[in-house]
């Protein structure tokens, strides 16, 4: 891989548009039987045609791995798409694009609406990137969608394949513990993400993404859920050593990360954390938004 070998460390991908805060109801889709659970291989760069389509795929790939620099008007933090979808959106169990694209359009029960793939991407910009969603018919959205389509071009439509999303990690009987999580973070995460979750940057470019603070994902992103962050961490982190943490360690460190402040949920209702919690967070997985942790109200936000 030449131009495609830009894999960044990361956390951050989130939900779709404003009211789309829960995992989608995709009961209309087929699930691949266990006997067919062979790993899917997306097409290689060498298979790209030398024409307008191939050019647009490459443009979408560039936007995907260098989002912050190439789309500064749409990204409000220090993240790129590839921070949550590792190996340029190719890696199984890291929400690969080839596992997502064939599942849309999809009905979401929570908002009683069929969502397009473009709407799903827009949500990522609003929440995970803490920015402004590009228009559905913008050149950037077209390029990103074409890149996702190409990665999924050999995949079946409407079939939930192994490796899609971030596989669930059951919560341990002990639950989670912030103190244990802090120790895991110091031992396994701080070397890349900084002792204060600030990430690492060279000049104005992050080479390792921030996990909390003003340049990380906001309180509306899917990764603010402890269970979602746990799944990402368990199957993908530390980089190069996926699966090396126990389930307990993954839950503990995800909870520790997500007890820290980050930009406010852009859906904040009338300036009220409690109203926002009740509408968007009360039934949205395991999360700390609007709760008091060690005497501090979580969800106050850090601003942009």
């Amino acid at each position: 891989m030449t131009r495609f070998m830009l894999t960044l460390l990361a956390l951050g991908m989130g939900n779709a548009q404003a009211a789309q805060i829960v995992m989608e109801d995709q009961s209309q889709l087929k699930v691949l039987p266990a006997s067919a659970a062979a790993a899917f291989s997306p097409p290689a760069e060498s298979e790209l045609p030398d024409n307008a389509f191939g050019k647009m795929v490459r443009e979408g790939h560039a936007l995907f791995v260098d989002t912050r620099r190439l789309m500064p008007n749409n990204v409000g933090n220090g993240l790129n798409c590839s921070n949550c979808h590792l190996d340029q959106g190719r890696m199984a169990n890291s929400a690969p694009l080839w596992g997502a694209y064939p599942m849309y359009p999809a009905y979401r029960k929570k908002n009683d609406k069929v969502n397009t793939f473009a709407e799903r991407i827009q949500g990522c910009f609003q929440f995970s990137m803490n920015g402004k969603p590009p228009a559905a018919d913008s050149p950037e959205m077209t390029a990103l969608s074409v890149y996702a389509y190409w990665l999924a071009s050999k995949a079946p439509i409407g079939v939930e394949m192994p490796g899609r999303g971030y596989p669930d990690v059951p919560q341990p009987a002990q639950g989670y513990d912030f103190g244990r999580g802090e120790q895991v973070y110091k031992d396994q995460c701080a070397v890349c993400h900084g002792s204060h979750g600030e990430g690492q940057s060279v000049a104005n470019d992050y080479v390792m993404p921030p996990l909390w603070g003003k340049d990380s994902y906001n309180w509306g992103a899917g990764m603010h859920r402890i269970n979602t962050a746990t799944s990402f961490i368990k199957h993908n982190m530390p980089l190069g050593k996926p699966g090396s943490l126990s389930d307990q360690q993954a839950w503990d460190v995800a909870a520790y990360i997500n007890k820290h402040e980050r930009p406010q949920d852009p859906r904040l209702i009338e300036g009220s954390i409690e109203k926002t919690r009740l509408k968007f967070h009360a039934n949205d997985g395991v999360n700390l938004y609007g709760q008091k942790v060690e005497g501090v109200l979580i969800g106050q936000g850090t601003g942009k």
Side-chain angles (χ1 to χ4, degrees):
M1 294 289 175
T2 56
R3 285 164 292 189
F4 280 20
M5 291 306 293
L6 181 58
T7 303
L8 299 178
L9 196 59
L11 279 168
M13 249 348 226
N15 293 321
Q17 289 185 322
Q20 301 164 18
I21 60 167
V22 297
M23 295 301 291
E24 58 265 38
D25 173 6
Q26 296 184 335
S27 56
Q28 80 277 12
L29 302 172
K30 299 176 182 178
V31 178
L32 208 62
S35 59
F40 173 79
S41 295
E45 180 185 4
S46 60
E47 299 177 50
L48 270 177
D50 185 17
N51 56 19
F53 176 78
K55 181 176 182 291
M56 184 159 287
V57 169
R58 288 186 170 91
E59 290 174 357
H61 168 264
L63 292 171
F64 192 83
V65 301
D66 202 9
T67 326
R68 181 173 182 259
R69 188 177 67 85
L70 297 178
M71 299 180 69
N73 294 329
N74 301 101
V75 178
N77 58 18
L79 304 182
N80 297 306
C81 298
S82 55
N83 289 147
C84 292
H85 309 268
L86 301 185
D87 193 19
Q88 311 133 77
R90 292 172 168 272
M91 185 178 292
N93 300 327
S94 186
L97 294 183
W98 51 258
Y101 187 89
M103 308 297 273
Y104 288 87
Y107 173 72
R108 288 190 166 196
K109 187 176 181 179
K110 182 69 176 182
N111 65 353
D112 194 26
K113 175 184 176 183
V114 173
N115 297 268
T116 65
F117 186 69
E119 288 175 316
R120 188 68 183 85
I121 295 177
Q122 286 176 325
C124 292
F125 276 93
Q126 183 178 11
F127 300 119
S128 295
M129 317 293 271
N130 192 39
K132 179 182 178 181
D137 61 351
S138 65
E140 293 84 0
M141 182 66 78
T142 300
L144 286 167
S145 297
V146 169
Y147 177 57
Y149 163 81
W150 175 68
L151 287 180
S153 57
K154 297 181 180 181
I157 298 296
V159 176
E160 188 167 1
M161 296 182 294
R164 174 182 181 246
Y166 310 126
D168 292 338
V169 178
Q171 187 169 356
Q174 296 184 51
Y176 54 79
D177 181 87
F178 298 125
R180 291 196 305 258
E182 181 178 11
Q183 190 60 52
V184 174
Y185 185 85
K186 289 178 179 178
D187 294 342
Q188 303 288 341
C189 313
V191 65
C192 291
H193 295 286
S195 58
H196 301 290
E198 71 275 18
Q200 293 188 41
S201 61
V202 176
N204 293 321
D205 294 324
Y206 279 102
V207 293
M208 297 296 176
L211 301 187
W212 62 82
K214 65 181 181 61
D215 281 339
S216 191
Y217 52 91
N218 68 40
W219 282 115
M223 203 64 77
H224 95 283
R225 295 189 296 254
I226 295 172
N227 54 300
T228 300
T230 295
S231 296
F232 176 85
I233 292 167
K234 171 69 177 179
H235 296 286
N236 297 284
M237 293 290 126
L239 196 67
K241 299 191 294 181
S244 61
L245 299 181
S246 67
D247 290 0
Q248 184 69 67
Q249 288 175 312
W251 270 92
D252 289 343
V253 75
Y256 173 72
I257 290 169
N258 280 335
K259 82 165 189 171
H260 290 86
E261 278 298 344
R262 54 195 65 259
Q264 182 58 265
D265 189 328
R267 303 162 298 184
L268 185 68
I269 300 171
E270 299 173 357
S272 171
I273 293 174
E274 178 61 12
K275 289 182 179 179
T276 307
R277 183 191 72 81
L278 289 173
K279 183 168 184 178
F280 297 117
H281 297 270
N283 298 305
D284 188 27
V286 182
N287 71 85
L288 300 172
Y289 186 90
Q291 300 181 41
K292 280 195 172 183
V293 174
E294 299 169 350
V296 177
L297 179 64
I298 303 297
Q300 298 180 65
T302 59
K304 283 196 173 185

